[in-house]
Amino acid sequence: MKNKFTSELLRWYRQHGRHDLPWQRDVEPYRVWVSEIMLQQTQVQTVIPYYERFMTRFPHVRSLADAPLDDVLHLWTGLGYYARARNLHKAARIIRDEHNGCFPEDRAVLETLPGIGRSTAAAILALSHNRPHAILDGNVKRVLARYHAVPGWPGKKAVENRLWELARAYTPEREAAAYTQAIMDLGATVCTRTKPACEACPVAAGCEARRLGKQEAFPGRKPRNDKPVRHTCFAILEDSRGRILLQKRPPAGVWGGLWSFPECSPDDDVEAWIKQAFGSTVCGLRREDGLRHTFSHFHLDITPVRAVLAETPAAVRDQSDIRWVHPADELTIGTAAPVKKLIQSLS
């Protein structure tokens, strides 16, 4: 069964797989690593332009390690899940400082780096060095769960362990790179989450979910948990020169390390809050239409409030975590998607 599944998948990949992705050119661990991190919870077509800009700016691990975090976050703006960018930067500095700039080739060592887990480490080594390490990303989980009709949500440990067993069983000693790309491609382009194209699947004949006519029942869904809604107020502070104030967020947490507008509670007296927080009176105050930004675990409802300040607060002129910027200027700092959208609306 192993040989048939693997051989059919490899045969399909040679003819129908993806062979022209940017990270498949000049293959080496650093390039594969960046692609694998960007592709986490993000589709290929979204990633490609970000990846190409990123590699132009940071062509090797030392250039990434030597860059300020702001430069990294700026190129990540709009891609989401910003902890990925922070971890890339941290890991690059560890590789530079503790591994003499050489990308580790040992899976256990790779797994100690920030942001690199078991499957990502395996994918890096399989794709760049043709090492026979099994991977288990979302696409692979779906393919194997359907092929064997493995019941249950893969987030449960017992289900995940069973899928790891299958992943290891099918990973060949030879052609590991091709197989790894093949099974990811199959999940991404044929064995899709909804409306899988079973008629185009090279292993459909042995698929248990297809035999049962229950393809979309596998893998099992995550137990439903309605996302809570949080509320915040973005204070868009403008000075007499038409500049707006941005504040750098703490390194950890939501939008960690990114530049954003100062925040207060929507229930606060915003004018009084500005006076207390920044020591400036307000000439004019206007609430804008609200917007919602959705994270993986909650919705954030944002109320933007534009405030023209009577004077530039002396207390914040020279703080390193405060910047005054012109909305029309091209920013070279990292901002979250709703912040970028609001800045663009002001220009």
Side-chain angles (χ1 to χ4, degrees), residues 192-264:
T192 50
R193 187 171 61 86
T194 60
K195 298 180 180 178
C198 297
E199 67 283 355
C201 179
V203 294
C207 179
E208 276 296 296
R210 180 173 180 266
R211 185 183 68 80
L212 296 169
K214 295 182 177 181
Q215 293 92 320
E216 294 192 17
F218 299 95
R221 298 292 178 88
K222 181 179 181 180
R224 181 167 180 172
N225 183 17
D226 291 337
K227 293 181 181 180
V229 179
R230 301 180 190 175
H231 302 268
T232 192
C233 175
F234 278 178
I236 304 174
L237 308 183
E238 303 177 45
D239 69 3
S240 58
R241 296 163 56 184
R243 299 179 303 172
I244 57 174
L245 185 147
L246 296 180
Q247 193 168 34
K248 194 168 191 178
R249 297 179 67 88
V254 173
W255 294 328
L258 298 180
W259 292 83
S260 184
F261 298 109
E263 292 184 44
C264 63

Side-chain angles (χ1 to χ4, degrees), residues 45 121 155 176 230 232 302 332 344-345:
Q45 292 308 310
R230 301 180 190 175
T232 192
I302 301 166
T332 58
Q344 290 173 338
S345 74

Side-chain angles (χ1 to χ4, degrees), residues 151-225:
W153 174 51
K156 291 184 177 179
K157 197 63 180 175
V159 180
E160 183 185 38
N161 288 344
R162 173 58 178 152
L163 293 175
W164 270 116
E165 289 175 6
L166 294 169
R168 287 194 299 269
Y170 287 127
T171 302
E173 289 296 320
R174 298 182 179 181
E175 295 190 87
Y179 171 82
T180 298
Q181 189 64 56
I183 195 166
M184 291 193 295
D185 284 1
L186 187 72
T189 65
V190 175
C191 193
T192 50
R193 187 171 61 86
T194 60
K195 298 180 180 178
C198 297
E199 67 283 355
C201 179
V203 294
C207 179
E208 276 296 296
R210 180 173 180 266
R211 185 183 68 80
L212 296 169
K214 295 182 177 181
Q215 293 92 320
E216 294 192 17
F218 299 95
R221 298 292 178 88
K222 181 179 181 180
R224 181 167 180 172
N225 183 17

Side-chain angles (χ1 to χ4, degrees), residues 122 146 169 307:
R146 283 177 176 165

Side-chain angles (χ1 to χ4, degrees), residues 4-286:
K4 184 173 178 58
F5 178 93
T6 302
S7 62
E8 291 291 346
L9 191 53
L10 285 169
R11 186 179 298 111
W12 170 85
Y13 173 69
R14 284 189 280 271
Q15 184 175 354
H16 300 287
R18 296 179 291 192
H19 302 274
D20 59 351
L21 298 172
W23 43 90
Q24 293 175 318
R25 300 190 291 267
D26 303 318
V27 175
E28 51 94 17
Y30 171 70
R31 290 175 60 83
V32 173
W33 170 46
V34 173
S35 73
E36 285 297 310
I37 300 301
M38 285 189 169
L39 287 165
Q40 291 171 358
Q41 303 185 70
T42 311
Q43 294 185 350
V44 166
Q45 292 308 310
T46 300
V47 164
I48 287 175
Y50 282 92
Y51 179 84
E52 290 178 332
R53 288 192 293 267
F54 199 91
M55 297 309 299
T56 297
R57 173 64 179 83
F58 309 116
H60 45 72
V61 71
R62 283 189 180 274
S63 60
L64 176 58
D66 293 343
L69 178 59
D70 270 342
D71 289 6
V72 179
L73 291 173
H74 169 61
L75 286 181
W76 208 273
T77 295
L79 197 55
Y81 300 99
Y82 292 91
R84 296 181 297 173
R86 296 194 298 272
N87 284 332
L88 266 176
H89 191 244
K90 289 178 187 175
R93 294 195 162 187
I94 292 171
I95 293 169
R96 178 195 64 189
D97 298 340
E98 299 181 15
H99 300 278
N100 197 30
C102 298
F103 208 92
E105 297 185 11
D106 181 272
R107 194 183 73 184
V109 174
L110 277 180
E111 289 181 33
T112 67
L113 296 175
I116 299 182
R118 178 179 178 182
S119 185
T120 300
I124 293 168
L125 295 176
L127 294 170
S128 64
H129 291 302
N130 205 27
R131 303 271 180 83
H133 293 301
I135 72 162
L136 195 65
D137 70 356
N139 287 318
V140 177
K141 288 176 182 177
R142 186 165 56 254
V143 170
L144 296 179
R146 283 177 176 165
Y147 192 76
H148 287 275
V150 177
W153 174 51
K156 291 184 177 179
K157 197 63 180 175
V159 180
E160 183 185 38
N161 288 344
R162 173 58 178 152
L163 293 175
W164 270 116
E165 289 175 6
L166 294 169
R168 287 194 299 269
Y170 287 127
T171 302
E173 289 296 320
R174 298 182 179 181
E175 295 190 87
Y179 171 82
T180 298
Q181 189 64 56
I183 195 166
M184 291 193 295
D185 284 1
L186 187 72
T189 65
V190 175
C191 193
T192 50
R193 187 171 61 86
T194 60
K195 298 180 180 178
C198 297
E199 67 283 355
C201 179
V203 294
C207 179
E208 276 296 296
R210 180 173 180 266
R211 185 183 68 80
L212 296 169
K214 295 182 177 181
Q215 293 92 320
E216 294 192 17
F218 299 95
R221 298 292 178 88
K222 181 179 181 180
R224 181 167 180 172
N225 183 17
D226 291 337
K227 293 181 181 180
V229 179
R230 301 180 190 175
H231 302 268
T232 192
C233 175
F234 278 178
I236 304 174
L237 308 183
E238 303 177 45
D239 69 3
S240 58
R241 296 163 56 184
R243 299 179 303 172
I244 57 174
L245 185 147
L246 296 180
Q247 193 168 34
K248 194 168 191 178
R249 297 179 67 88
V254 173
W255 294 328
L258 298 180
W259 292 83
S260 184
F261 298 109
E263 292 184 44
C264 63
S265 169
D267 298 326
D268 287 342
D269 179 331
V270 179
E271 188 170 344
W273 178 83
I274 292 170
K275 175 68 175 177
Q276 180 180 12
F278 298 99
S280 178
T281 54
V282 175
C283 296
L285 196 74
R286 185 172 78 246

